[in-house]
Structure formats: structure tokens, C-alpha cells
């Protein structure tokens, strides 16, 4: 009888734990919302600048993790797009260089990148 009660208690505890983990957002989810290809692209570019070494790989991987913890992916993607358009010549790209709102989005990304460098390099 004790064995059946212990098994029942274990089943109830397991069900309760599963219920809680299914409902609660995990902190890792917010950090891991960046697609793998985006993380890899960042790490490859970072390694180009910092050397093709295992140490650079570790530091660059750390850096994108810090950025991901500070900036949601949609904000990262917007800022990256703005920065790419800014590099183009012409009147149409000028708006991306002079608009204060767009400049603020890029500044947020740059602050996150600086924080990544401070923590990881």
C-alpha cells in the first residue's frame, strides 16, 4: 500500500512539474530567439575581424549571446537592415542615415555590441 501511495505521489509531482514548465516562459527562450543562421553570420563576421582562432570563436559566440540577451531578435534584425541600407549610395538611403528614430534603433544595437565586447573580449 505504501508503495502505491509513493508511486501516486511521484506521478502527481511529475504532472505538476510538467504543468508549471509548460506554462512558464523559460529565460533561455528569450535568449535563444535568434535563428542559428543569424548567430553564425555574426560569429563568422566577428572572427574575420578578430582572427580565425578557437579563442576568437569563443569570444564571438559569447558576444552574440550577450547581444541576444539585451536586444530582442526583431530589434536586432531591424537595426541590421538599417545599417545595410545606410551603406548604399543615393537619396533613398539618405533617409536611413538621417532619421532620428532609425538612428536610435542602430544605437541600441551598437550599445548591445559594446556590452558584448566588454563582457567577452
Amino acid at each position: 500500500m505504501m508503495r502505491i501511495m509513493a508511486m501516486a505521489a511521484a506521478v502527481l509531482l511529475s504532472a505538476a512539474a510538467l504543468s508549471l514548465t509548460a506554462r512558464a516562459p523559460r529565460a533561455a527562450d528569450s535568449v535563444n530567439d535568434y535563428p542559428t543562421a543569424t548567430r553564425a553570420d555574426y560569429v563568422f563576421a566577428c572572427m574575420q575581424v578578430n582572427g580565425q582562432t578557437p579563442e576568437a570563436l569563443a569570444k564571438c559566440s559569447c558576444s552574440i549571446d550577450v547581444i541576444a540577451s539585451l536586444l530582442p531578435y526583431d530589434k536586432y534584425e531591424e537595426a541590421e537592415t538599417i545599417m545595410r541600407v545606410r551603406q548604399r549610395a543615393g537619396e533613398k538611403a539618405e533617409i536611413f542615415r538621417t532619421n532620428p528614430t532609425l538612428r536610435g534603433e542602430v544605437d541600441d544595437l551598437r550599445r548591445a555590441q559594446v556590452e558584448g565586447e566588454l563582457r567577452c573580449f
Side-chain angles (χ1 to χ4, degrees), residues 39-104:
R39 288 177 182 266
D41 186 50
Y42 180 92
V43 171
F44 290 146
C46 176
M47 289 180 68
Q48 286 291 325
V49 174
N50 294 292
Q52 302 291 331
T53 65
E55 182 181 358
L57 173 63
K59 289 179 178 182
C60 293
S61 297
C62 171
S63 183
I64 190 62
D65 289 345
V66 170
I67 293 168
S69 74
L70 297 172
L71 199 64
Y73 176 67
D74 60 331
K75 297 295 183 186
Y76 176 87
E77 187 176 39
E78 288 172 16
E80 277 287 316
T81 301
I82 293 165
M83 289 176 20
R84 285 191 183 111
V85 173
R86 282 181 169 185
Q87 294 176 352
R88 296 182 173 205
E91 289 178 29
K92 292 179 182 178
E94 187 62 27
I95 239 175
F96 288 88
R97 288 188 281 274
T98 59
N99 183 299
T101 302
L102 300 178
R103 190 177 314 133

Side-chain angles (χ1 to χ4, degrees), residues 15-41:
L18 283 174
S19 169
L20 288 175
T21 58
R23 290 185 202 153
R26 296 179 304 179
D29 289 343
S30 63
V31 173
N32 291 323
D33 69 340
Y34 282 44
T36 302
T38 300
R39 288 177 182 266
D41 186 50

